[in-house]
Amino acid sequence: MNKFTRSLIGAAFVALAATPAFAETPKDSLVMAWQFDDIISLDPAEIFEVSGAEYGAQVYDRLIGIDLKDTSKIVPAVAESWTVSEDGKTYTFKIRDGVKFHSGNPLTAEDAAFSLQRAVKLNKSPAFILTQFGFTKDNVDQKIKAADARTLVMETDQAYAPTFVLNCLTADVASVVDAKLLKQNEKDGDFGYSWLKSNSAGSGAFKLRQWKANESLTLDANPAYWQGAPEMKRVILRHIAEPATQRLLLEKGDVDVARNLKPEQLDALRSSKDVRIVEAPKGTLWYISLNQKNPILAKPEVRQAFRYLVDYDAMGRTIMNGIATIHQSFLPKGFLGSLDDKPFKYDPAKARELLTAAGYPDGFTVTMDVRNVTPWTDLAQTIQASAAAAGVKIELLPMDGKQALTKYRSRNQDIYIGQWGADYQDPHTNAETFASNPDNADNGPSKTLAWRNSWDIPELTQKTKAAVVERDADKRVEIYHELQKVVMTDSPFVVMFQQVEVPVERASVKGLIWGPSFDNNLYRLASKK
């Protein structure tokens, strides 16, 4: 047992000992145990992590959404209808009448325009979802504007597949914020950014009551919600890092839902009549990435070697059993053009051959940033052990999710182990981030995953751009197949698994929606007996 393992076990005992005794949860409140230390900001113009995306879906509305029963279909939200011009460049949305923000302010086309303009001008991590349509801080006020209180007009720089444009507007970054409230809380021309990082300005089914980083997130129901008031008056998310503690709280009735139980804990609960195990396939991938700023990791043979240093089968049978499936391409199953090829298996001898060809016959030492919760730590320790068989010594650097993401987004890591969830239901959502890097400078405006790992790929970037304007679906599929094969074999990304979320609910809980992505997990219809 290494020092890192001992510290984790010790932390689990401390967490158990420190957990206070709670009465059974109130009938009008839903309490969840979840790991959400990855939340960096509550501003939808900046939210770009799994937990933050789920929060945003409860608090904010978007113009449009996806049909959760058929994700190929776009459905109305606060925009009750829309049209696309004959030239394919102008989108006109009619805003639903009578929708109000939590503040009581009416939601208008002016708010929708301000929200999209604001996201482009702030230029935080998810802004590229909008700027890819030619919007810049200099032109966005002319390209996205309200024709009147109920009409929003958006003009793209060229004709794209309409489903692609519309799918992008279902992403968190397209959430509609309360312009009047943010302008009241603006500081030094920041569009209310400093304030909104820890407050809310939405019109959704719930409104923020309190956020304590790495501790709790509390939401109150919006009784005036345009789709109907939630039955639960309050939702309380408790950050419980240890799955063992989550299970204990669930069985005692101190929480209604546990979100991060391990396979062995799930197996032990399958016969219980007090709980319900839910399986919800997600378009979320587990991967490791190799920063190309590190000259060792930048060698093509080293990138290839890492594909043979991961014991996919062993981790799939143990750590990820029941909560993920082996998947090695950047498009998840269920997306247009997804490849289900699995060409790589654990082969340290093959990896050593490649390392020798790269000039490292005895291996090398490198660091890996790890979110200090399971299954990240379990995956990291397994990869550390499997890589050692080929002489690669990986020093694990445990930290909370916010620290790991902040470092990753600054391109200061060696190896990062993480998750990537699709932002919308078009294949470009993952193609753009894994296979596109328009500007590899440290201040590059498009901060894709390829950019975060300093992978400079001008030709691949152009091919990714070509895919998104291709209107022939069969030709689009061919391009995405080509992109996936390149990324699968010669990129800094080793995609390992596709997630199956397995929340466990108390039997009394009904109506929670566990969608195809975390920003489709919805609390609005939840109830308890």
Side-chain angles (χ1 to χ4, degrees):
M1 184 184 298
N2 61 33
K3 181 179 179 181
F4 186 40
T5 304
R6 288 197 303 272
S7 68
L8 286 173
I9 293 173
F13 281 115
V14 170
L16 281 167
T19 301
F22 283 83
E24 197 156 314
T25 60
K27 293 187 181 300
D28 63 354
S29 298
L30 185 74
V31 184
M32 295 192 201
W34 194 25
Q35 300 167 350
F36 55 89
D37 61 321
D38 58 330
I39 294 180
I40 292 173
S41 172
L42 300 184
D43 187 335
E46 186 172 32
I47 289 172
F48 212 39
E49 56 283 329
V50 166
S51 305
E54 183 167 314
Y55 157 82
Q58 319 313 316
V59 174
Y60 292 92
D61 284 311
R62 296 161 204 168
L63 290 169
I64 52 181
I66 61 168
D67 185 336
L68 297 185
K69 295 180 180 178
D70 181 355
T71 57
S72 66
K73 295 180 180 178
I74 305 294
V75 297
V78 295
E80 60 185 8
S81 64
W82 57 90
T83 58
V84 184
S85 63
E86 287 188 11
D87 66 2
K89 294 172 61 177
T90 302
Y91 293 74
T92 303
F93 299 88
K94 279 295 179 184
I95 304 301
R96 192 179 300 274
D97 194 23
V99 179
K100 291 188 175 182
F101 289 107
H102 302 150
S103 66
N105 295 328
L107 187 154
T108 68
E110 284 89 351
D111 294 291
F114 172 83
S115 302
L116 298 173
Q117 295 164 358
R118 176 180 182 272
V120 169
K121 292 173 182 177
L122 285 174
N123 196 29
K124 301 300 178 181
S125 292
F128 70 87
I129 296 171
L130 300 175
T131 58
Q132 64 188 323
F133 300 118
F135 304 131
T136 68
K137 63 181 178 62
D138 297 320
N139 72 16
V140 70
D141 288 350
Q142 288 72 48
K143 296 293 185 180
I144 303 176
K145 55 189 176 184
D148 57 50
R150 293 192 59 209
T151 307
L152 174 73
V153 180
M154 183 179 82
E155 183 184 351
T156 60
D157 59 342
Q158 60 179 306
Y160 298 88
T163 52
F164 166 58
V165 177
L166 295 171
N167 268 308
C168 286
L169 294 179
T170 70
D172 275 295
V173 72
S175 298
V176 182
V177 299
D178 186 336
K180 184 176 181 180
L181 181 62
L182 286 186
K183 288 173 182 178
Q184 290 170 353
N185 288 281
E186 189 173 34
K187 183 178 180 181
D188 299 326
D190 72 347
F191 302 100
Y193 167 70
S194 298
W195 181 81
L196 198 56
K197 283 176 71 75
S198 55
N199 290 280
S200 68
S203 60
F206 291 88
K207 50 190 173 182
L208 177 67
R209 182 181 180 87
Q210 185 182 58
W211 172 43
K212 295 181 179 180
N214 295 353
E215 185 176 333
S216 66
L217 180 65
T218 304
L219 308 176
D220 285 344
N222 173 13
Y225 188 52
W226 63 276
Q227 294 192 76
E231 185 164 334
M232 293 288 96
K233 302 302 182 187
R234 184 167 294 170
V235 175
I236 302 168
L237 305 179
R238 297 179 56 199
H239 174 63
I240 307 293
E242 286 302 317
T245 310
Q246 289 195 17
R247 177 185 170 185
L248 177 64
L249 294 173
L250 181 72
E251 291 182 309
K252 289 171 59 182
D254 290 335
V255 300
D256 300 303
V257 185
R259 302 283 298 273
N260 305 101
L261 300 190
K262 298 171 77 170
E264 60 268 26
Q265 294 160 344
L266 294 169
D267 289 341
L269 291 172
R270 292 191 189 279
S271 60
S272 173
K273 296 180 180 179
D274 296 327
V275 302
R276 178 191 311 108
I277 298 175
V278 182
E279 294 186 356
K282 289 285 191 284
T284 301
L285 303 174
W286 289 89
Y287 70 98
I288 59 174
S289 61
L290 316 172
N291 193 342
Q292 300 300 280
K293 285 189 172 185
N294 183 315
I296 299 175
L297 300 178
K299 288 183 176 289
E301 299 89 349
V302 173
R303 294 200 299 262
Q304 292 166 18
F306 264 91
R307 287 156 170 75
Y308 298 99
L309 293 178
V310 174
D311 198 337
Y312 310 90
D313 291 332
M315 292 191 294
R317 289 192 307 267
T318 55
I319 301 165
M320 307 302 276
N321 184 28
I323 62 174
T325 57
I326 295 173
H327 190 77
Q328 296 180 347
S329 63
F330 69 67
L331 281 181
K333 290 180 184 177
F335 277 67
L336 177 73
S338 173
L339 283 180
D340 198 28
D341 298 353
K342 301 179 183 69
F344 304 109
K345 292 188 178 294
Y346 180 50
D347 189 342
K350 174 71 172 176
R352 194 177 281 275
E353 287 178 12
L354 289 163
L355 294 175
T356 299
Y360 303 101
D362 299 320
F364 52 84
T365 299
V366 70
T367 63
M368 177 187 285
D369 293 353
V370 184
R371 186 177 167 189
N372 195 15
V373 292
T374 58
W376 281 262
T377 51
D378 304 311
L379 291 171
Q381 288 175 335
T382 303
I383 294 168
Q384 180 187 48
S386 62
V392 176
K393 303 175 184 65
I394 299 177
E395 179 187 353
L396 303 182
L397 303 178
M399 58 191 76
D400 70 27
K402 181 177 180 179
Q403 289 175 309
L405 273 170
T406 299
K407 185 177 177 183
Y408 188 36
R409 291 175 180 175
S410 300
R411 313 209 295 183
N412 290 324
Q413 80 291 351
D414 278 345
I415 302 178
Y416 179 79
I417 181 168
Q419 284 178 300
W420 180 262
D423 292 304
Y424 46 88
Q425 293 296 313
D426 186 275
H428 190 65
T429 183
N430 278 19
E432 183 178 35
T433 200
F434 282 97
S436 174
N437 183 6
D439 184 348
N440 196 44
D442 283 341
N443 62 349
S446 188
K447 296 174 173 57
T448 65
L449 290 185
W451 176 87
R452 289 187 198 178
N453 290 280
S454 198
W455 191 35
D456 198 5
I457 42 172
E459 291 184 9
L460 213 59
T461 299
Q462 290 305 313
K463 184 167 287 190
T464 301
K465 287 182 179 179
V468 83
V469 296
E470 176 56 65
R471 295 195 171 200
D472 184 310
D474 291 336
K475 290 181 179 178
R476 268 194 103 192
V477 167
E478 289 178 12
I479 298 173
Y480 288 122
H481 282 175
E482 293 174 15
L483 292 172
Q484 286 172 93
K485 287 176 181 176
V486 172
V487 172
M488 192 182 292
T489 58
D490 192 36
S491 76
F493 304 107
V494 182
V495 180
M496 304 178 293
F497 300 101
Q498 181 171 342
Q499 184 173 3
V500 178
E501 188 183 15
V502 190
V504 184
E505 306 171 349
R506 296 283 301 177
S508 59
V509 175
K510 307 292 182 186
L512 278 168
I513 295 175
W514 305 103
S517 62
F518 283 87
D519 67 346
N520 301 130
N521 287 347
L522 301 173
Y523 313 156
R524 182 173 68 86
L525 300 178
S527 64
K528 294 196 295 189
K529 290 181 185 176

